[in-house]
Amino acid sequence: MRKQCFSWRAQAIARALTTIRDVAARAGVSVGTASKAMNNKGQLKAGTRQRVLQAAEELNFTPNALICSLQRGQTHTIGVFAWPVQIGAVNDITLPLLKGVADGVAGSGRDLLLYSDKPNQFPALTPATFLDGRVDGLILGPTTVKPEAVAMLANAGLPLVVLYNGDVPDSTGSVTIDNAAGVAAAVDHLVELGHRRIVFCGAMMTPDAAERYASYVSSLERHGLPYDSALSVIPDDWISDFEEVCRMLIALPKPPTAIIAGDDASAFPLIEALKLCGKSVPEDISVVGFDDCPAAANSPGLTTVRQPAQEVGQLAGQLISRLLEGAPASECRVTLPVELIIRASTAPPPAG
């Protein structure tokens, strides 16, 4: 019974949709003439074209987007592959980034199709997902997509802009930030305050994160501080128990006096975990984040490295449009500067 009901509704909708044949009949012209008038093609008398357009308006006719895309071999749609989107989230940069992408493609006549990377997603998103003809190009966010998958997409001829990773195939554009400079500024700031035992806490899930960790190691060396593997918390997967991590660090013979988090989304739970362990921020231990997400400025404020997420997205939207218009990929690669924002989560280490 339910199947019959759905079938009836589908038939009713199909009957209700106005077709180009209906427009042609109302205007008193052939289907071919009506199609030319709607697409502003061919040599038609002004009166004929106007008659067709008026008929289309009266019938509320809109050309079928799928049929049009098949005819012209383009969908005028750009795919955006990003990490899970949490509406209202203020601990990450997802929403500013996506707003930037929308601003970047505004005025291009192209739509956006968001693919969200979700853990344990079924069916799983694979590179082939983006090659089914639904999008003309792809903006690839900082996900766990492997380099060989990016290479496969590029080799398939799909115009591609990769975010937060400059190590891309020759035919691919990219928008990156200066991770090394950002972490170096964070280390410099902590050393100037007097810190010598500095933790890096993050997960090596993306090239972006690996660059931050590498800069942490080199910055310690630059300041003559020994590298201590006990002060590098780099789990294989995302940190699931921040309190356990903090208790482990506090229990070290020489505990740290400062933590650099891989991003703000880690910095906030680290601060809460430290409180549960009886430690105050920044009186007992300083914390630095990375990203400057919307919540970072909330009182008392998180010292963090500000990256221009909205500008990253906007540039990505502009660059994918340029690639689709034939611009060489070498002209579609940009690295943006970052800035250390000092707030209340950092202070000199406790005496002694």
Side-chain angles (χ1 to χ4, degrees):
M1 184 69 177
R2 179 172 292 183
K3 183 177 181 180
Q4 291 178 348
C5 179
F6 284 140
S7 176
W8 176 84
R9 287 179 180 176
Q11 292 175 13
I13 292 172
R15 286 196 299 270
L17 292 175
T18 303
T19 68
I20 191 68
R21 294 182 182 276
D22 299 321
V23 174
R26 172 68 69 93
V29 299
S30 68
V31 172
T33 298
S35 179
K36 290 178 181 178
M38 293 299 301
N39 291 290
N40 198 26
K41 294 181 178 179
Q43 300 295 323
L44 298 177
K45 294 181 180 179
T48 301
R49 190 183 303 278
Q50 182 58 37
R51 200 160 70 249
V52 171
L53 295 178
Q54 183 175 343
E57 183 177 355
E58 292 171 354
L59 294 173
N60 297 316
F61 172 73
T62 301
N64 187 292
L66 177 59
I67 294 175
C68 291
S69 66
L70 289 172
Q71 291 174 339
R72 62 179 174 242
Q74 293 181 330
T75 65
H76 286 285
T77 300
I78 295 170
V80 182
F81 186 45
W83 55 89
V85 179
Q86 301 178 21
I87 302 303
V90 292
N91 288 359
D92 63 31
I93 57 168
T94 309
L95 295 182
L97 182 70
L98 292 178
K99 183 182 186 304
V101 172
D103 292 342
V105 301
S108 70
R110 296 183 173 92
D111 295 320
L112 294 175
L113 175 60
L114 176 63
Y115 297 88
S116 183
D117 186 14
K118 302 174 184 176
N120 303 317
Q121 178 169 296
F122 183 83
L125 287 173
T126 67
T129 303
F130 311 114
L131 300 176
D132 63 1
R134 274 181 278 187
V135 297
D136 296 333
L138 178 68
I139 296 173
L140 187 60
T143 67
T144 54
V145 175
K146 296 180 179 179
E148 52 267 28
V150 177
M152 191 273 274
L153 291 170
N155 291 336
L158 182 69
L160 186 65
V161 172
V162 176
L163 303 185
Y164 302 106
N165 182 7
D167 186 15
V168 296
D170 292 341
S171 62
T172 300
S174 66
V175 183
T176 63
I177 59 173
D178 196 343
N179 289 294
V183 172
V187 173
D188 291 348
H189 168 62
L190 292 172
V191 171
E192 288 170 6
L193 289 173
H195 294 277
R196 296 296 181 268
R197 298 280 289 171
I198 302 170
V199 169
F200 181 88
C201 188
M204 299 297 98
M205 299 178 68
T206 65
D208 217 32
E211 288 180 7
R212 295 174 191 179
Y213 175 69
S215 179
Y216 158 77
V217 174
S218 62
S219 295
L220 292 180
E221 182 180 356
R222 179 165 48 83
H223 284 285
L225 299 177
Y227 169 77
D228 185 346
S229 59
L231 299 181
S232 298
V233 183
I234 308 173
D236 293 332
D237 201 350
W238 194 247
I239 299 172
S240 58
D241 192 337
F242 287 92
E243 185 177 351
E244 180 182 351
V245 168
C246 290
R247 292 193 185 282
M248 177 190 71
L249 293 171
I250 293 169
L252 291 173
K254 293 182 178 181
T257 60
I259 298 177
I260 297 176
D263 52 29
D264 290 351
S266 298
F268 290 111
L270 279 169
I271 291 173
E272 292 303 313
L274 287 168
K275 291 178 182 178
L276 292 174
C277 295
K279 298 295 181 180
S280 298
V281 176
E283 291 79 10
D284 296 319
I285 188 165
S286 292
V287 176
V288 179
F290 200 116
D291 284 340
D292 196 31
C293 68
N298 293 345
S299 180
L302 175 68
T303 295
T304 186
V305 178
R306 174 180 292 167
Q307 64 140 307
Q310 189 164 329
E311 187 179 353
V312 168
Q314 186 170 358
L315 273 171
Q318 294 169 352
L319 293 179
I320 193 66
S321 296
R322 290 193 60 196
L323 285 174
L324 288 166
E325 292 162 5
S330 59
E331 297 179 4
C332 297
R333 296 183 188 136
V334 180
T335 298
L336 296 174
V338 297
E339 177 187 7
L340 180 68
I341 305 299
I342 300 174
R343 298 193 179 100
S345 67
T346 51

